[in-house]
Amino acid sequence: MRLALNQRVVVLLHGGICGDGGKTGLSLLRYSEAPIIAAIDRDCAGKSLTELTGIKRDVPIVSSLKDALQYKPQVLAIGIAPKGGALPDDYWHEIKEALAAGMSLVNGLHTPLATIPDLKKQLKPGQLIWDVRKEPQNLNIASGAARNLSCKRVLTIGTDMNAGKMSTSLELHWASRMRGMRSKFLATGQTGLMLEGDGVALDAVRVDFAAGAVEQIVLRFGSNYDILHIEGQGSLLHPGSTATLPLIRGSQATHMILVHRVGQTHVIDNFPIPPLPEVIKLYETVASAAGAFKKVAVVGIALNTSHLEESTAKSTIAQVEQETGRPCTDPIRFGAGKLLDAVMRN
């Protein structure tokens, strides 16, 4: 499945447009090819999406689902990604209102909705509830088989969660296609799955099979493409992250791109982010398993500079290039060409 390209979508995003939990909805608004006709956020109703976020999409922000109904929506996409993935209590009434209005529902949270009897009984022919976070079938433990593929496998890694790994992978994917490459974006999180329609919701997979799930999707597409852009998850620096190592092992990545938010010094306030050269060294050491696996280089740095003035962003990028000895850019603001050049050179 994927977010419907022929149906009118509204994104439920209370507190997410200017808050910390709106990554899913904002990414849909930035990247989805689906006709998104409204965003629902009571905190930002009536304001300009572009002025608030920089996303160049002319979508009205309304305060409630009732206000969104004037645009005749057919699908409601839950656009928040709160810690733990649970549905906030104040979202339930609007979800039920959407189903009552004949809309389908796209749910990327850990809380499954399709099996809830109170919601199932509201569904009419043609309506559905898509719970995105599901474990794939027929999984095995990873074997390292992806190393035998001839395609480039570019994995985004990060200094923290929510740094911009998915956006970087998408920007690299589109840059690759613009150059005529057979490129594929491999989604590993709920938002990427909504956008792409295939992939693996890695945080829904039992840990023993996580690397195998990544390997399965890489093997499925690797023979048919020149380059795979694999969406990163989590961070080796985060004490609660379990997804990064399975991605490294399952994909048998050939290249890594490190993603970092400028100015962030700690992970969840308690754990300092080391200097970027040390982070690069960590990832390259882990990826090679001290020589057990083939050496994999961090070939470039993607900086999230969305909160900086353009001149400051450019000077910061130059500083990071000097500090790390790697090509660096903000792929959303300035394009991913420099990072793709680094991949192709190595």
Side-chain angles (χ1 to χ4, degrees):
M1 292 181 65
R2 69 181 299 174
L3 198 61
L5 298 181
N6 61 345
Q7 292 186 306
R8 298 163 66 84
V9 179
V10 294
V11 181
L12 186 57
L13 202 53
H14 287 309
I17 290 179
C18 293
D20 295 330
K23 180 181 75 169
T24 294
L26 293 175
S27 295
L28 293 177
L29 288 161
R30 185 183 300 277
Y31 292 116
S32 178
E33 298 176 15
I36 299 177
I37 46 86
I40 303 171
D41 187 339
R42 64 175 75 92
D43 296 339
C44 298
K47 298 180 180 179
S48 165
L49 178 71
T50 300
E51 290 178 5
L52 291 174
T53 66
I55 296 172
K56 295 177 175 62
R57 194 165 193 154
D58 186 17
V59 171
I61 304 172
V62 299
S63 62
S64 67
L65 178 74
K66 289 181 180 178
D67 291 335
L69 291 178
Q70 63 182 302
Y71 300 104
K72 297 181 172 55
Q74 297 166 287
V75 177
L76 179 69
I78 299 175
I80 58 160
K83 291 180 180 179
L87 185 71
D89 290 340
D90 62 344
Y91 273 52
W92 283 102
H93 71 281
E94 290 188 289
I95 287 172
K96 292 178 180 179
E97 287 176 1
L99 294 177
M103 299 168 64
S104 293
L105 178 65
V106 178
N107 169 38
L109 301 177
H110 281 296
T111 305
L113 301 181
T115 55
I116 296 177
D118 190 34
L119 300 183
K120 285 178 65 177
K121 70 182 182 183
Q122 291 194 55
L123 296 178
K124 303 176 183 64
Q127 277 183 281
L128 59 85
I129 298 174
W130 177 24
D131 289 326
V132 177
R133 275 174 157 141
K134 287 185 176 179
E135 184 179 83
Q137 297 179 341
N138 303 317
L139 292 179
N140 290 304
I141 295 172
S143 66
R147 66 181 175 176
N148 298 318
L149 293 168
S150 61
C151 63
K152 295 181 185 295
R153 299 177 297 283
V154 185
L155 174 66
T156 47
I157 54 176
T159 55
D160 196 5
M161 300 179 180
N162 299 334
K165 294 181 289 292
M166 184 195 73
S167 298
T168 299
S169 290
L170 282 169
E171 297 288 345
L172 281 163
H173 166 55
W174 290 339
S176 300
R177 292 182 65 181
M178 288 293 290
R179 295 189 187 183
M181 299 180 198
R182 296 181 302 161
S183 177
K184 176 70 174 174
F185 166 72
L186 295 188
T188 60
Q190 74 275 10
T191 309
L193 278 160
M194 291 180 194
L195 292 168
E196 189 69 10
D198 55 44
V200 55
L202 194 56
D203 58 5
V205 178
R206 289 164 291 171
V207 67
D208 279 358
F209 298 100
V214 174
E215 181 177 270
Q216 183 183 81
I217 193 76
V218 168
L219 290 175
R220 174 146 59 97
F221 290 106
S223 298
N224 299 318
Y225 290 90
D226 303 317
I227 187 167
L228 302 180
H229 294 288
I230 303 154
E231 176 191 4
Q233 298 291 334
S235 170
L236 291 179
L237 305 180
H238 196 294
S241 176
T242 58
T244 306
L245 186 59
L247 278 162
I248 293 172
R249 293 287 179 260
S251 70
Q252 293 289 300
T254 58
H255 304 75
M256 294 184 289
I257 300 291
L258 177 63
V259 186
H260 175 63
R261 180 178 173 83
V262 173
Q264 184 178 353
T265 60
H266 288 73
V267 175
I268 58 172
D269 298 329
N270 299 316
F271 299 91
I273 295 174
L276 293 185
E278 294 301 314
V279 178
I280 290 170
K281 185 177 180 180
L282 167 67
Y283 272 104
E284 291 183 343
T285 300
V286 170
S288 70
F293 294 87
K294 187 177 179 180
K295 183 178 180 180
V296 185
V298 174
V299 298
I301 313 294
L303 287 187
N304 181 339
T305 68
S306 59
H307 52 299
L308 301 180
E309 296 290 337
E310 183 169 321
S311 60
T312 305
K314 289 181 176 179
S315 63
T316 303
I317 286 169
Q319 179 182 343
V320 169
E321 285 190 329
Q322 184 175 13
E323 176 188 356
T324 63
R326 266 71 169 182
C328 177
T329 191
D330 182 330
I332 294 178
R333 294 180 84 165
F334 307 121
K338 183 187 289 188
L339 299 178
L340 185 56
D341 288 342
V343 170
M344 302 310 295
R345 283 196 301 267
N346 292 273

